[in-house]
Amino acid sequence: MNKNPVCELLGIKYPVIQGGMAWIADAQLAAAVSNAGGLGLIAAMNSNGEQLRAQIKEAKKLTDKPFGVNLMLMSPYIDEAVNVVCEEGVSVVTTGAGNPAKYMEQLKASNIKVICVVASVALAVMVERMGASAVIAEGCESGGHVGETTTMALVPQVVDAVNIPVIAAGGIADGRGMAAAYMLGAKAVQMGTRFLTAKECNVHENYKEKVLSAKDRDTIVTGKTLGHPVRALKNRMTREFQKKESDPATTQAELEAMGAGALRKAAIEGDVKYGSCMCGQIAGLVNSENTCEEIITSICSEAAALMGA
Ligand code: TUI
């Protein structure tokens, strides 16, 4: 893993990035991942400017290693979040769920490395032109907001289309997935579902247990009609949402109202029946709660062994 371009870019030991999961990825999880040699990310999605600043300050106390912030572009607080990461001198941000064009200049002017999550070749090419340092090609196996192309198909097409390093995400949770991502031309991996079950992850215990016991077909994508499809574990919430979504009498506003606050309900309150337990398709492989250090070192050593390093 020496001379890995993503490790060199970010100043990290292992080419493993933790997904910036809304309502889940806090300063404690980010610092634990960074202390273990990966890149931890704080999710900005659910925080206003001052809450995000407090999280960044806490992470600075918990680790002297590089960490970043995930800017969810559909967040109601996005403008404040961009200002705060610039003011706090965060070294790297990832962007997701949209086109980051509006913010690229401001972030780059503050010397922040910008890594964009993309779900298409077109956006990968566009963000490279705008000065992104790397892209995360995220396949639709992943949890939360998803595109339409699988990791297996997306990663090599993005690799062929850009000159910046490509990080693979979606459906990766162990050394086999990491080795496969390398074979497709990726230089690093991002994992969400795997870190959701980390010991240091503060997500509600009910949610963690639901992910740990989930099997291969336990997730579903809803919200396509709203323009932001979301993958989550099947439950009462997704069943009712699905029913409403297929009923022509349902208005967009009704669906938006059903979705609003659902992730918070699951992640913070532990309501895994009526909340949204966003989770990737790889959940069936994630069966044990481990420390971030165990997760990162085991995935990297398993991948290295498979690749004959
Ligand atoms: O952003 C994510 N995953 C997320 S965000 C989230 S929070 C949420 N809460 C309630 C409802 C919906 C979301 C939960 N999970 N991943 C990064 C990602 N970005 N995946 C796919 C994309 C993406 C898709 C289309 C990025 C850009 C894009 O195209 C934008 C354009 O204009 O071309």
Side-chain angles (χ1 to χ4, degrees), residues 20-23 45 70-74 95-100 117-120 123 126 138-139 142-147 190 228-231 259-261 263 278:
M21 298 166 283
W23 288 107
M45 158 67 186
N70 171 254
L71 297 169
M72 200 283 203
L73 296 164
M74 282 162 43
T95 67
N99 186 329
V117 179
V118 299
S120 68
L123 188 61
M126 210 185 295
E138 188 182 281
S142 68
H145 184 83
V146 287
Q190 174 178 278
H228 44 88
V230 164
R231 181 181 300 285
L263 177 57
M278 297 186 190

mmCIF file of all heavy atoms in Angstrom, residues 20-23 45 70-74 95-100 117-120 123 126 138-139 142-147 190 228-231 259-261 263 278, ligand 1:
data_model
loop_
_atom_site.group_PDB
_atom_site.id
_atom_site.type_symbol
_atom_site.label_atom_id
_atom_site.label_comp_id
_atom_site.label_asym_id
_atom_site.label_seq_id
_atom_site.Cartn_x
_atom_site.Cartn_y
_atom_site.Cartn_z
ATOM 1 N N GLY A 20 -19.470 9.286 4.806
ATOM 2 C CA GLY A 20 -19.954 10.411 5.633
ATOM 3 C C GLY A 20 -21.436 10.296 5.906
ATOM 4 O O GLY A 20 -22.240 11.108 5.473
ATOM 5 N N MET A 21 -21.822 9.274 6.630
ATOM 6 C CA MET A 21 -23.233 8.919 6.837
ATOM 7 C C MET A 21 -23.976 9.946 7.691
ATOM 8 O O MET A 21 -23.621 10.179 8.852
ATOM 9 C CB MET A 21 -23.301 7.544 7.515
ATOM 10 C CG MET A 21 -22.683 6.438 6.667
ATOM 11 S SD MET A 21 -22.387 4.921 7.605
ATOM 12 C CE MET A 21 -20.904 5.330 8.528
ATOM 13 N N ALA A 22 -25.031 10.527 7.082
ATOM 14 C CA ALA A 22 -25.841 11.534 7.772
ATOM 15 C C ALA A 22 -26.422 10.974 9.069
ATOM 16 O O ALA A 22 -26.850 9.825 9.120
ATOM 17 C CB ALA A 22 -26.975 12.001 6.854
ATOM 18 N N TRP A 23 -26.413 11.769 10.112
ATOM 19 C CA TRP A 23 -26.923 11.436 11.449
ATOM 20 C C TRP A 23 -26.099 10.334 12.132
ATOM 21 O O TRP A 23 -26.433 9.895 13.227
ATOM 22 C CB TRP A 23 -28.398 10.988 11.422
ATOM 23 C CG TRP A 23 -29.340 12.118 11.150
ATOM 24 C CD1 TRP A 23 -30.027 12.342 9.996
ATOM 25 C CD2 TRP A 23 -29.676 13.206 12.028
ATOM 26 N NE1 TRP A 23 -30.764 13.495 10.090
ATOM 27 C CE2 TRP A 23 -30.579 14.042 11.334
ATOM 28 C CE3 TRP A 23 -29.301 13.564 13.326
ATOM 29 C CZ2 TRP A 23 -31.107 15.212 11.893
ATOM 30 C CZ3 TRP A 23 -29.839 14.708 13.879
ATOM 31 C CH2 TRP A 23 -30.728 15.502 13.169
ATOM 32 N N MET A 45 -24.424 16.819 6.844
ATOM 33 C CA MET A 45 -25.834 16.803 6.439
ATOM 34 C C MET A 45 -26.809 17.291 7.511
ATOM 35 O O MET A 45 -27.682 18.112 7.269
ATOM 36 C CB MET A 45 -26.208 15.378 6.008
ATOM 37 C CG MET A 45 -27.667 15.026 6.042
ATOM 38 S SD MET A 45 -28.618 15.933 4.818
ATOM 39 C CE MET A 45 -30.266 15.429 5.263
ATOM 40 N N ASN A 70 -17.948 15.407 5.118
ATOM 41 C CA ASN A 70 -18.775 15.117 3.946
ATOM 42 C C ASN A 70 -19.849 16.197 3.804
ATOM 43 O O ASN A 70 -20.637 16.427 4.720
ATOM 44 C CB ASN A 70 -19.457 13.743 4.052
ATOM 45 C CG ASN A 70 -20.476 13.563 2.931
ATOM 46 O OD1 ASN A 70 -21.682 13.618 3.149
ATOM 47 N ND2 ASN A 70 -19.997 13.385 1.726
ATOM 48 N N LEU A 71 -19.834 16.865 2.663
ATOM 49 C CA LEU A 71 -20.833 17.898 2.365
ATOM 50 C C LEU A 71 -21.933 17.282 1.517
ATOM 51 O O LEU A 71 -21.708 16.936 0.358
ATOM 52 C CB LEU A 71 -20.171 19.043 1.589
ATOM 53 C CG LEU A 71 -19.065 19.805 2.317
ATOM 54 C CD1 LEU A 71 -18.331 20.715 1.338
ATOM 55 C CD2 LEU A 71 -19.638 20.617 3.482
ATOM 56 N N MET A 72 -23.118 17.098 2.133
ATOM 57 C CA MET A 72 -24.243 16.537 1.404
ATOM 58 C C MET A 72 -24.926 17.724 0.722
ATOM 59 O O MET A 72 -25.445 18.615 1.397
ATOM 60 C CB MET A 72 -25.155 15.832 2.411
ATOM 61 C CG MET A 72 -26.083 14.822 1.815
ATOM 62 S SD MET A 72 -27.450 15.658 1.013
ATOM 63 C CE MET A 72 -28.665 14.383 1.042
ATOM 64 N N LEU A 73 -24.900 17.731 -0.615
ATOM 65 C CA LEU A 73 -25.266 18.939 -1.359
ATOM 66 C C LEU A 73 -26.750 19.278 -1.295
ATOM 67 O O LEU A 73 -27.154 20.394 -1.591
ATOM 68 C CB LEU A 73 -24.783 18.823 -2.811
ATOM 69 C CG LEU A 73 -23.245 18.755 -2.928
ATOM 70 C CD1 LEU A 73 -22.827 18.243 -4.303
ATOM 71 C CD2 LEU A 73 -22.607 20.101 -2.641
ATOM 72 N N MET A 74 -27.586 18.304 -0.880
ATOM 73 C CA MET A 74 -29.018 18.582 -0.720
ATOM 74 C C MET A 74 -29.355 19.071 0.694
ATOM 75 O O MET A 74 -30.530 19.356 0.999
ATOM 76 C CB MET A 74 -29.832 17.299 -0.980
ATOM 77 C CG MET A 74 -30.005 16.961 -2.460
ATOM 78 S SD MET A 74 -30.479 15.220 -2.727
ATOM 79 C CE MET A 74 -31.700 14.968 -1.477
ATOM 80 N N THR A 95 -17.928 15.500 -1.398
ATOM 81 C CA THR A 95 -19.260 16.040 -1.707
ATOM 82 C C THR A 95 -20.115 14.888 -2.207
ATOM 83 O O THR A 95 -19.588 13.945 -2.797
ATOM 84 C CB THR A 95 -19.210 17.121 -2.799
ATOM 85 O OG1 THR A 95 -18.818 16.521 -4.047
ATOM 86 C CG2 THR A 95 -18.249 18.239 -2.433
ATOM 87 N N GLY A 96 -21.414 14.968 -1.987
ATOM 88 C CA GLY A 96 -22.283 13.889 -2.447
ATOM 89 C C GLY A 96 -23.683 14.358 -2.742
ATOM 90 O O GLY A 96 -24.090 15.457 -2.343
ATOM 91 N N ALA A 97 -24.425 13.525 -3.457
ATOM 92 C CA ALA A 97 -25.842 13.735 -3.758
ATOM 93 C C ALA A 97 -26.101 14.960 -4.619
ATOM 94 O O ALA A 97 -27.148 15.592 -4.503
ATOM 95 C CB ALA A 97 -26.654 13.803 -2.456
ATOM 96 N N GLY A 98 -25.139 15.303 -5.477
ATOM 97 C CA GLY A 98 -25.380 16.421 -6.385
ATOM 98 C C GLY A 98 -24.119 16.881 -7.078
ATOM 99 O O GLY A 98 -23.072 16.236 -6.975
ATOM 100 N N ASN A 99 -24.259 18.006 -7.787
ATOM 101 C CA ASN A 99 -23.135 18.592 -8.517
ATOM 102 C C ASN A 99 -22.526 19.715 -7.666
ATOM 103 O O ASN A 99 -23.216 20.671 -7.331
ATOM 104 C CB ASN A 99 -23.665 19.143 -9.853
ATOM 105 C CG ASN A 99 -22.547 19.650 -10.745
ATOM 106 O OD1 ASN A 99 -21.524 20.121 -10.270
ATOM 107 N ND2 ASN A 99 -22.760 19.553 -12.042
ATOM 108 N N PRO A 100 -21.242 19.605 -7.329
ATOM 109 C CA PRO A 100 -20.631 20.560 -6.392
ATOM 110 C C PRO A 100 -20.148 21.854 -7.040
ATOM 111 O O PRO A 100 -19.487 22.677 -6.384
ATOM 112 C CB PRO A 100 -19.440 19.767 -5.847
ATOM 113 C CG PRO A 100 -19.036 18.892 -6.990
ATOM 114 C CD PRO A 100 -20.302 18.541 -7.724
ATOM 115 N N VAL A 117 -18.160 12.547 -4.680
ATOM 116 C CA VAL A 117 -18.843 11.279 -4.939
ATOM 117 C C VAL A 117 -19.622 11.443 -6.240
ATOM 118 O O VAL A 117 -20.377 12.406 -6.410
ATOM 119 C CB VAL A 117 -19.809 10.891 -3.801
ATOM 120 C CG1 VAL A 117 -20.511 9.572 -4.133
ATOM 121 C CG2 VAL A 117 -19.064 10.768 -2.485
ATOM 122 N N VAL A 118 -19.403 10.500 -7.156
ATOM 123 C CA VAL A 118 -20.099 10.546 -8.445
ATOM 124 C C VAL A 118 -20.792 9.200 -8.667
ATOM 125 O O VAL A 118 -20.332 8.158 -8.198
ATOM 126 C CB VAL A 118 -19.124 10.843 -9.612
ATOM 127 C CG1 VAL A 118 -18.460 12.199 -9.425
ATOM 128 C CG2 VAL A 118 -18.079 9.743 -9.782
ATOM 129 N N ALA A 119 -21.890 9.288 -9.413
ATOM 130 C CA ALA A 119 -22.607 8.054 -9.762
ATOM 131 C C ALA A 119 -22.636 7.883 -11.276
ATOM 132 O O ALA A 119 -23.323 7.014 -11.793
ATOM 133 C CB ALA A 119 -24.022 8.114 -9.193
ATOM 134 N N SER A 120 -21.864 8.742 -11.995
ATOM 135 C CA SER A 120 -21.826 8.666 -13.458
ATOM 136 C C SER A 120 -20.468 9.124 -13.969
ATOM 137 O O SER A 120 -19.764 9.896 -13.293
ATOM 138 C CB SER A 120 -22.905 9.567 -14.063
ATOM 139 O OG SER A 120 -22.585 10.929 -13.820
ATOM 140 N N LEU A 123 -20.363 13.103 -14.586
ATOM 141 C CA LEU A 123 -20.051 13.977 -13.446
ATOM 142 C C LEU A 123 -18.587 13.830 -13.029
ATOM 143 O O LEU A 123 -17.946 14.804 -12.624
ATOM 144 C CB LEU A 123 -20.992 13.700 -12.264
ATOM 145 C CG LEU A 123 -20.874 14.697 -11.101
ATOM 146 C CD1 LEU A 123 -21.217 16.122 -11.545
ATOM 147 C CD2 LEU A 123 -21.758 14.311 -9.927
ATOM 148 N N MET A 126 -16.629 16.014 -15.282
ATOM 149 C CA MET A 126 -16.910 17.418 -14.970
ATOM 150 C C MET A 126 -16.160 17.872 -13.712
ATOM 151 O O MET A 126 -15.548 18.934 -13.700
ATOM 152 C CB MET A 126 -18.426 17.563 -14.765
ATOM 153 C CG MET A 126 -18.986 18.917 -15.128
ATOM 154 S SD MET A 126 -20.738 19.022 -14.724
ATOM 155 C CE MET A 126 -21.450 17.826 -15.812
ATOM 156 N N GLU A 138 -19.366 5.711 -6.713
ATOM 157 C CA GLU A 138 -20.228 4.983 -5.775
ATOM 158 C C GLU A 138 -21.339 4.249 -6.526
ATOM 159 O O GLU A 138 -22.207 4.869 -7.127
ATOM 160 C CB GLU A 138 -20.827 5.962 -4.758
ATOM 161 C CG GLU A 138 -21.581 5.270 -3.643
ATOM 162 C CD GLU A 138 -22.214 6.257 -2.683
ATOM 163 O OE1 GLU A 138 -21.498 6.796 -1.825
ATOM 164 O OE2 GLU A 138 -23.428 6.488 -2.791
ATOM 165 N N GLY A 139 -21.284 2.956 -6.491
ATOM 166 C CA GLY A 139 -22.300 2.135 -7.148
ATOM 167 C C GLY A 139 -23.585 2.074 -6.342
ATOM 168 O O GLY A 139 -23.618 2.415 -5.152
ATOM 169 N N SER A 142 -24.724 0.715 -2.646
ATOM 170 C CA SER A 142 -24.487 1.413 -1.389
ATOM 171 C C SER A 142 -25.797 1.786 -0.693
ATOM 172 O O SER A 142 -26.875 1.712 -1.285
ATOM 173 C CB SER A 142 -23.641 2.658 -1.636
ATOM 174 O OG SER A 142 -24.397 3.579 -2.354
ATOM 175 N N GLY A 143 -25.671 2.207 0.542
ATOM 176 C CA GLY A 143 -26.833 2.635 1.304
ATOM 177 C C GLY A 143 -27.094 4.118 1.088
ATOM 178 O O GLY A 143 -26.243 4.837 0.580
ATOM 179 N N GLY A 144 -28.280 4.570 1.470
ATOM 180 C CA GLY A 144 -28.612 5.991 1.360
ATOM 181 C C GLY A 144 -28.928 6.387 -0.061
ATOM 182 O O GLY A 144 -29.464 5.594 -0.843
ATOM 183 N N HIS A 145 -28.576 7.615 -0.398
ATOM 184 C CA HIS A 145 -28.870 8.173 -1.737
ATOM 185 C C HIS A 145 -28.065 7.417 -2.781
ATOM 186 O O HIS A 145 -26.849 7.342 -2.677
ATOM 187 C CB HIS A 145 -28.483 9.651 -1.694
ATOM 188 C CG HIS A 145 -28.791 10.400 -2.945
ATOM 189 N ND1 HIS A 145 -30.037 10.902 -3.199
ATOM 190 C CD2 HIS A 145 -28.023 10.727 -3.995
ATOM 191 C CE1 HIS A 145 -30.027 11.520 -4.365
ATOM 192 N NE2 HIS A 145 -28.805 11.432 -4.867
ATOM 193 N N VAL A 146 -28.724 6.868 -3.777
ATOM 194 C CA VAL A 146 -28.008 6.049 -4.763
ATOM 195 C C VAL A 146 -28.269 6.493 -6.198
ATOM 196 O O VAL A 146 -29.318 7.052 -6.515
ATOM 197 C CB VAL A 146 -28.384 4.539 -4.654
ATOM 198 C CG1 VAL A 146 -27.767 3.918 -3.423
ATOM 199 C CG2 VAL A 146 -29.885 4.321 -4.686
ATOM 200 N N GLY A 147 -27.283 6.197 -7.054
ATOM 201 C CA GLY A 147 -27.447 6.372 -8.493
ATOM 202 C C GLY A 147 -28.038 5.102 -9.079
ATOM 203 O O GLY A 147 -28.737 4.353 -8.385
ATOM 204 N N GLN A 190 -14.119 3.360 -0.168
ATOM 205 C CA GLN A 190 -14.904 4.012 0.881
ATOM 206 C C GLN A 190 -15.953 3.007 1.340
ATOM 207 O O GLN A 190 -16.592 2.344 0.515
ATOM 208 C CB GLN A 190 -15.586 5.279 0.362
ATOM 209 C CG GLN A 190 -16.514 5.895 1.395
ATOM 210 C CD GLN A 190 -17.169 7.177 0.921
ATOM 211 O OE1 GLN A 190 -16.591 8.232 0.976
ATOM 212 N NE2 GLN A 190 -18.397 7.068 0.452
ATOM 213 N N HIS A 228 -34.826 11.491 -5.602
ATOM 214 C CA HIS A 228 -33.664 11.094 -4.793
ATOM 215 C C HIS A 228 -33.885 9.711 -4.177
ATOM 216 O O HIS A 228 -34.302 9.561 -3.031
ATOM 217 C CB HIS A 228 -33.232 12.132 -3.743
ATOM 218 C CG HIS A 228 -34.335 12.763 -2.971
ATOM 219 N ND1 HIS A 228 -34.836 12.225 -1.818
ATOM 220 C CD2 HIS A 228 -35.036 13.892 -3.186
ATOM 221 C CE1 HIS A 228 -35.786 13.000 -1.363
ATOM 222 N NE2 HIS A 228 -35.934 14.022 -2.167
ATOM 223 N N PRO A 229 -33.602 8.690 -4.987
ATOM 224 C CA PRO A 229 -33.767 7.314 -4.506
ATOM 225 C C PRO A 229 -32.838 7.010 -3.334
ATOM 226 O O PRO A 229 -31.686 7.458 -3.313
ATOM 227 C CB PRO A 229 -33.392 6.461 -5.720
ATOM 228 C CG PRO A 229 -32.682 7.361 -6.664
ATOM 229 C CD PRO A 229 -33.088 8.754 -6.355
ATOM 230 N N VAL A 230 -33.374 6.262 -2.389
ATOM 231 C CA VAL A 230 -32.625 5.957 -1.162
ATOM 232 C C VAL A 230 -32.696 4.455 -0.887
ATOM 233 O O VAL A 230 -33.777 3.864 -0.931
ATOM 234 C CB VAL A 230 -33.237 6.749 0.027
ATOM 235 C CG1 VAL A 230 -32.791 6.194 1.357
ATOM 236 C CG2 VAL A 230 -32.888 8.223 -0.071
ATOM 237 N N ARG A 231 -31.547 3.846 -0.607
ATOM 238 C CA ARG A 231 -31.534 2.426 -0.230
ATOM 239 C C ARG A 231 -31.521 2.309 1.292
ATOM 240 O O ARG A 231 -30.692 2.919 1.959
ATOM 241 C CB ARG A 231 -30.308 1.706 -0.817
ATOM 242 C CG ARG A 231 -30.312 0.197 -0.450
ATOM 243 C CD ARG A 231 -29.100 -0.552 -1.004
ATOM 244 N NE ARG A 231 -29.008 -0.501 -2.449
ATOM 245 C CZ ARG A 231 -29.778 -1.196 -3.281
ATOM 246 N NH1 ARG A 231 -30.702 -2.006 -2.793
ATOM 247 N NH2 ARG A 231 -29.615 -1.088 -4.582
ATOM 248 N N GLY A 259 -40.738 10.978 4.325
ATOM 249 C CA GLY A 259 -39.285 10.749 4.362
ATOM 250 C C GLY A 259 -38.564 11.646 5.353
ATOM 251 O O GLY A 259 -37.573 11.241 5.962
ATOM 252 N N ALA A 260 -39.118 12.840 5.542
ATOM 253 C CA ALA A 260 -38.439 13.826 6.384
ATOM 254 C C ALA A 260 -38.274 13.293 7.803
ATOM 255 O O ALA A 260 -39.212 12.815 8.415
ATOM 256 C CB ALA A 260 -39.230 15.135 6.394
ATOM 257 N N GLY A 261 -37.099 13.373 8.300
ATOM 258 C CA GLY A 261 -36.864 12.979 9.683
ATOM 259 C C GLY A 261 -36.779 11.480 9.912
ATOM 260 O O GLY A 261 -36.532 11.028 11.031
ATOM 261 N N LEU A 263 -34.567 9.218 8.851
ATOM 262 C CA LEU A 263 -33.222 8.716 9.167
ATOM 263 C C LEU A 263 -32.857 9.043 10.618
ATOM 264 O O LEU A 263 -32.328 8.211 11.347
ATOM 265 C CB LEU A 263 -32.193 9.319 8.186
ATOM 266 C CG LEU A 263 -30.733 8.949 8.413
ATOM 267 C CD1 LEU A 263 -30.527 7.440 8.393
ATOM 268 C CD2 LEU A 263 -29.839 9.612 7.362
ATOM 269 N N MET A 278 -30.967 3.431 6.565
ATOM 270 C CA MET A 278 -30.186 3.419 5.319
ATOM 271 C C MET A 278 -29.012 2.467 5.484
ATOM 272 O O MET A 278 -28.342 2.467 6.513
ATOM 273 C CB MET A 278 -29.735 4.837 4.976
ATOM 274 C CG MET A 278 -30.920 5.757 4.705
ATOM 275 S SD MET A 278 -30.407 7.370 4.123
ATOM 276 C CE MET A 278 -31.982 8.254 4.210
HETATM 277 O O1 TUI B 1 -25.011 11.134 -0.681
HETATM 278 C C1 TUI B 1 -24.881 9.937 -0.641
HETATM 279 N N1 TUI B 1 -25.589 9.166 0.190
HETATM 280 C C2 TUI B 1 -26.504 9.619 1.105
HETATM 281 S S1 TUI B 1 -26.912 11.220 1.425
HETATM 282 C C3 TUI B 1 -28.025 10.762 2.572
HETATM 283 S S2 TUI B 1 -28.974 11.891 3.472
HETATM 284 C C4 TUI B 1 -30.527 11.783 2.845
HETATM 285 N N2 TUI B 1 -31.497 11.946 3.709
HETATM 286 C C5 TUI B 1 -32.759 11.882 3.309
HETATM 287 C C6 TUI B 1 -33.088 11.684 1.996
HETATM 288 C C7 TUI B 1 -32.098 11.488 1.105
HETATM 289 C C8 TUI B 1 -30.798 11.521 1.518
HETATM 290 C C9 TUI B 1 -28.031 9.434 2.684
HETATM 291 N N3 TUI B 1 -27.170 8.810 1.863
HETATM 292 N N4 TUI B 1 -23.995 9.303 -1.438
HETATM 293 C C10 TUI B 1 -23.250 9.989 -2.393
HETATM 294 C C11 TUI B 1 -23.898 9.893 -3.708
HETATM 295 N N5 TUI B 1 -23.961 10.872 -4.552
HETATM 296 N N6 TUI B 1 -24.497 8.817 -4.213
HETATM 297 C C12 TUI B 1 -24.957 9.156 -5.438
HETATM 298 C C13 TUI B 1 -24.608 10.465 -5.637
HETATM 299 C C14 TUI B 1 -24.869 11.303 -6.756
HETATM 300 C C15 TUI B 1 -25.980 11.079 -7.556
HETATM 301 C C16 TUI B 1 -26.231 11.918 -8.620
HETATM 302 C C17 TUI B 1 -24.024 12.374 -7.029
HETATM 303 C C18 TUI B 1 -24.303 13.216 -8.084
HETATM 304 C C19 TUI B 1 -25.397 12.962 -8.860
HETATM 305 O O2 TUI B 1 -25.663 13.738 -9.948
HETATM 306 C C20 TUI B 1 -25.821 15.105 -9.751
HETATM 307 C C21 TUI B 1 -25.881 15.843 -11.034
HETATM 308 O O3 TUI B 1 -26.480 16.940 -11.008
HETATM 309 O O4 TUI B 1 -25.319 15.369 -12.026
#
